[in-house]
């Protein structure tokens, strides 16, 4: 659990910090406003940014580290590398056409009919 929590925070932590910081920078201008409603709006966004960042970086990872699900068999055995699942195409070889999940050829997309208004705009 601890390892998965640390990996999740290291992967997602930067995005959470950037999101909170950029939102805070966007509404920072409101803190200097003379209008009461703008100052209240700034305080509300400041609280939301601090609440969200603290939950995303501190509270939820700690809670999931303590109460999270047990490791699955794939985590315990180690992740399978993506290289074993990739398909390479040799020089001069044509790739196989895409197929639907049931093995049938995917249906061709319907033809788009241009209306008189779009024909005038596109012309």
């Amino acid at each position: 659990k601890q390892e998965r929590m640390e990996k999740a925070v290291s992967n997602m932590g930067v995005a959470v910090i950037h999101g909170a910081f950029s939102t805070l920078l966007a509404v920072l201008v409101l803190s200097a406003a003379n209008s009461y409603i703008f100052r209240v709006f700034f305080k509300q966004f400041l609280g939301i940014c601090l609440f969200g960042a603290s939950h995303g970086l501190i509270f939820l990872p700690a809670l999931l580290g303590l109460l999270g699900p047990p490791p699955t068999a794939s985590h315990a055995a180690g992740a399978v590398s993506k290289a074993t699942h990739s398909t390479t195409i040799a020089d001069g070889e044509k790739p196989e056409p895409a197929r639907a999940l049931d093995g049938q050829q995917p249906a061709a997309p319907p033809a788009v009919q241009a209306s008189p208004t779009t024909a005038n705009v596109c012309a």
Side-chain angles (χ1 to χ4, degrees), residues 20-21 23-28 30-31 38-54:
F21 186 68
T23 304
L24 184 63
L25 281 180
V27 296
L28 190 64
L30 298 175
S31 66
F38 287 153
R39 286 183 296 181
V40 169
F41 193 69
F42 168 73
K43 290 176 187 176
Q44 178 184 0
F45 261 90
L46 177 67
I48 290 170
C49 287
L50 293 176
F51 184 78
S54 64

Side-chain angles (χ1 to χ4, degrees), residues 70-86:
T72 59
S74 64
H75 285 101
V80 178
S81 69
K82 291 181 182 178
T84 59
H85 295 294
S86 65

Side-chain angles (χ1 to χ4, degrees), residues 39-118:
R39 286 183 296 181
V40 169
F41 193 69
F42 168 73
K43 290 176 187 176
Q44 178 184 0
F45 261 90
L46 177 67
I48 290 170
C49 287
L50 293 176
F51 184 78
S54 64
H55 270 71
L57 295 173
I58 300 167
F59 180 69
L60 289 177
L63 185 67
L64 290 173
L66 294 173
L67 305 174
T72 59
S74 64
H75 285 101
V80 178
S81 69
K82 291 181 182 178
T84 59
H85 295 294
S86 65
T87 304
T88 57
I89 298 174
D91 290 335
E93 189 178 332
K94 292 184 179 179
E96 192 174 312
R99 298 204 179 271
L101 292 176
D102 59 0
Q104 301 295 324
Q105 286 284 24
V112 177
Q113 297 287 332
S115 66
T117 55
T118 57

